[in-house]
């Protein structure tokens, strides 16, 4: 039976992610891939995980590890996260922390809570593809958020939203070393986003998936911290901070969190009860142990490795890319964002890159809610070892040069 006709309208908005589809094709060993935005598995704290699983299952905690758990999440983990949030300037307690199955689940829940069909979500062009996928299932429209300048007036946003049959509900952004652009918002830009949100009366979703991965430059306070300062505390604020252990410990355990005003946490708890009841008990307990003993060292280790790879990639781009190609110089994270001369379609280039140059990247248009950005692409440096950079970048540069000549 073909069930397509039976699907809800939202199913029409669910499309295969270009990145995930692409990743399937890239296990041929001769392809040098800058495509997948995944952590380097060599950096996972393997031994700490092995030991923690054994301890959690071997001792008095075994029953709790295998039993149902409260929907908010494992209390000691929430307390640990609250301490970490306070350390980066977001004063809160465990009542503000909600454990999710990866921050991706948090984005889905926020879409579910805030977006009715035809409501408006403000996102940057480009933005994290997984956020667009999560939100799109709730049938919103998108409007463009430009924290670096050029935002529409609050009235213009409001009017466009009303005309579309809904209201502006939130602004979503990745303020530190964004996926895919690598950009970091300045303090003034963060304040401007809060000003706009205040004027529109909307929430701000701060996706901090990469926030701990800074390699150069000065840290900028999280939007949630700035908001707590101006609102008089997190519970009076409008910012929803989404955190993740995926990039520092390991993504496979699927443990992330939301730090937000208590009244939102209460709604998220109800959302989770209807969804998966709670994130896996054993993984939360293990992440708690590993975070307590290894988090700081893991941050340092991961930063050192990616810092060197970022520098090597930037150096190779500088040495080999033809004139007319520009790219971001990220202060952290995992990605360099490249802009090709107008008229070169990165998706077309990718087909040639894979078949001729045996190099892969992610074309940029999928990260644009309006499908623009066809001349942009994303390079991830987390898995880019010396060979990848010294062989892959000249090959990619030669291909771009030949595309420019044709
Ligand atoms: C910006 C951003 N947010 C969220 C996620 C999801 O991370 P996780 O669900 O593993 O916490 C990712 C993953 O790549 C990301 O790039």
């Amino acid at each position: 039976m073909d069930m397509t006709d039976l699907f809800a309208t939202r199913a029409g908005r669910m499309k295969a992610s270009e990145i995930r589809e692409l990743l399937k094709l890239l296990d041929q060993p001769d392809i040098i891939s800058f495509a997948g935005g995944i952590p380097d598995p060599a950096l996972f704290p393997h031994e700490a995980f092995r030991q923690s699983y054994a301890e959690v299952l071997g001792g008095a905690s075994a029953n709790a590890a295998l039993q149902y758990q409260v929907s908010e999440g494992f209390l000691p983990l929430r307390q640990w996260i609250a301490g970490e949030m306070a350390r980066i300037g977001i004063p809160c307690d465990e009542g503000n922390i909600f454990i999710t199955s990866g921050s991706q689940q948090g984005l889905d829940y926020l879409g579910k809570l805030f977006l009715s069909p035809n409501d408006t979500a403000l996102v940057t062009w480009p933005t994290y593809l997984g956020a667009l996928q999560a939100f799109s299932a709730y049938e919103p429209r998108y409007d463009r958020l430009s924290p670096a300048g050029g935002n529409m007036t609050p009235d213009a946003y409001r009017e466009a939203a009303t005309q579309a049959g809904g209201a502006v509900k939130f602004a979503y952004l990745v303020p530190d070393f964004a996926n895919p652009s690598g950009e970091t918002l300045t303090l003034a830009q963060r304040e401007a986003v809060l000003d706009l949100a205040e004027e529109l009366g909307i929430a701000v979703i701060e996706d901090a998936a990469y926030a701990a991965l800074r390699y150069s430059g000065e840290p900028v306070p999280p939007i949630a911290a700035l908001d707590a300062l101006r609102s008089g505390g997190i519970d009076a604020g409008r910012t929803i901070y989404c955190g993740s252990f995926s990039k520092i410990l390991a993504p496979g355990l699927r443990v992330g969190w939301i730090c937000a005003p208590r009244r939102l946490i209460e709604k998220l708890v109800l959302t989770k009860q209807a969804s998966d009841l709670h994130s896996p008990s054993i993984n939360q307990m293990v992440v708690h142990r590993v975070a307590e003993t290894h988090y700081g060292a893991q941050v340092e280790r991961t930063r050192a490795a990616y810092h060197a790879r970022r520098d090597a990639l930037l150096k190779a781009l500088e040495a080999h890319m033809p004139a007319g190609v520009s790219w971001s110089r990220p202060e952290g994270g995992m990605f360099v964002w490249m802009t090709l001369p107008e008229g070169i379609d990165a998706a077309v280039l990718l087909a040639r890159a894979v078949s001729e140059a045996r190099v892969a990247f992610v074309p940029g248009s999928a990260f644009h809610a309006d499908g623009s950005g066809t001349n942009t692409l994303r390079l991830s440096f987390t898995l880019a070892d010396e060979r990848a950079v010294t062989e892959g970048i000249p090959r990619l540069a030669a291909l771009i040069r030949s595309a420019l000549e044709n």
Side-chain angles (χ1 to χ4, degrees):
M1 177 190 177
D2 178 9
M3 298 183 196
T4 323
D5 290 345
L6 302 177
F7 289 162
T9 50
R10 76 182 75 91
R13 307 275 294 260
M14 297 172 186
K15 297 201 191 98
S17 147
E18 274 184 45
I19 301 180
R20 303 248 183 280
E21 290 302 303
L22 194 71
L23 280 175
K24 289 184 202 155
L25 304 174
L26 296 182
D27 28 14
Q28 297 118 310
D30 66 323
I31 290 198
I32 296 178
S33 177
F34 299 97
I38 55 174
D40 181 353
L43 296 168
F44 296 156
H46 297 92
E47 190 46 39
F49 277 127
R50 256 194 294 274
Q51 228 181 46
S52 295
Y53 273 107
E55 283 166 11
V56 163
L57 281 176
S61 52
N63 280 348
L66 299 172
Q67 188 54 281
Y68 285 117
Q69 163 80 242
V70 292
S71 300
E72 288 86 340
F74 182 52
L75 182 61
L77 178 61
R78 290 165 57 220
Q79 288 166 332
W80 185 89
I81 293 169
E84 189 61 21
M85 294 289 89
R87 200 183 58 74
I88 60 168
I90 307 170
C92 66
D93 64 34
E94 64 270 16
N96 299 107
I97 308 295
F98 170 76
I99 305 295
T100 55
S101 297
S103 56
Q104 187 66 30
Q105 185 179 55
L107 298 177
D108 176 43
Y109 287 179
L110 294 170
K112 196 174 204 171
L113 273 181
F114 283 102
L115 298 171
S116 298
N118 304 321
D119 275 342
T120 294
L122 304 184
V123 297
T124 54
W125 267 213
T127 192
Y128 170 48
L129 177 58
L132 293 178
Q133 285 184 304
F135 302 150
S136 289
Y138 301 101
E139 305 175 89
R141 69 182 273 278
Y142 296 103
D143 219 333
R144 183 176 190 171
L145 181 70
S146 303
N151 270 327
M152 303 199 312
T153 63
D155 277 345
Y157 277 126
R158 220 180 269 121
E159 209 168 290
T162 311
Q163 262 184 12
V168 189
K169 292 297 182 66
F170 59 71
Y172 164 82
L173 67 172
V174 189
D176 296 288
F177 333 119
N179 180 4
S181 70
E183 261 173 42
T184 297
L185 297 196
T186 63
L187 183 64
Q189 288 165 354
R190 291 170 200 232
E191 294 283 11
V193 168
L194 280 174
D195 290 343
L196 176 71
E198 231 169 79
E199 288 184 61
L200 283 170
I202 60 171
V204 174
I205 300 176
E206 174 172 32
D207 184 336
Y210 301 95
L213 293 177
R214 175 175 282 282
Y215 319 131
S216 53
E218 288 304 309
V220 190
I223 296 177
L226 301 171
D227 188 13
L229 273 179
R230 54 162 92 179
S231 319
I234 184 167
D235 286 321
R238 63 181 66 251
T239 305
I240 304 161
Y241 180 100
C242 300
S244 175
F245 287 104
S246 291
K247 318 296 179 189
I248 303 297
L249 297 184
L253 283 80
R254 310 306 301 133
V255 181
W257 70 92
I258 286 178
C259 175
R262 239 163 264 264
R263 59 192 190 286
L264 181 78
I265 300 288
E266 286 163 16
K267 272 297 207 204
L268 287 167
V269 166
L270 298 176
T271 310
K272 199 158 177 60
Q273 280 167 5
S275 165
D276 62 353
L277 295 178
H278 61 81
S279 296
S281 310
I282 188 166
N283 291 357
Q284 295 187 57
M285 293 168 81
V286 164
V287 163
H288 172 239
R289 275 173 181 254
V290 176
E292 268 204 322
T293 50
H294 288 74
Y295 191 79
Q298 268 298 117
V299 169
E300 289 314 313
R301 195 161 106 97
T302 312
R303 270 189 194 151
Y306 295 164
H307 184 167
R309 288 172 207 174
R310 176 203 65 171
D311 288 354
L313 176 62
L314 289 176
K315 203 168 141 205
L317 291 172
E318 209 67 66
H320 298 286
M321 280 298 151
V325 177
S326 60
W327 56 90
S328 63
R329 284 152 183 87
E331 293 183 336
M334 299 185 169
F335 307 108
V336 168
W337 182 245
M338 184 175 277
T339 305
L340 305 169
E342 286 292 338
I344 298 196
D345 185 330
V348 174
L349 190 74
L350 175 65
R352 283 189 63 197
V354 171
S355 65
E356 295 170 31
R358 308 302 278 163
V359 179
F361 53 80
V362 180
S365 66
F367 300 99
H368 292 71
D370 66 347
S372 62
T374 50
N375 62 327
T376 58
L377 61 92
R378 190 191 75 179
L379 299 171
S380 164
F381 50 81
T382 53
L383 298 174
D385 59 14
E386 202 178 320
R387 179 188 152 255
V389 169
T390 53
E391 290 182 26
I393 294 303
R395 267 152 52 180
L396 179 61
L399 186 75
I400 294 174
R401 204 169 279 116
S402 97
L404 280 171
E405 283 159 8
N406 290 325

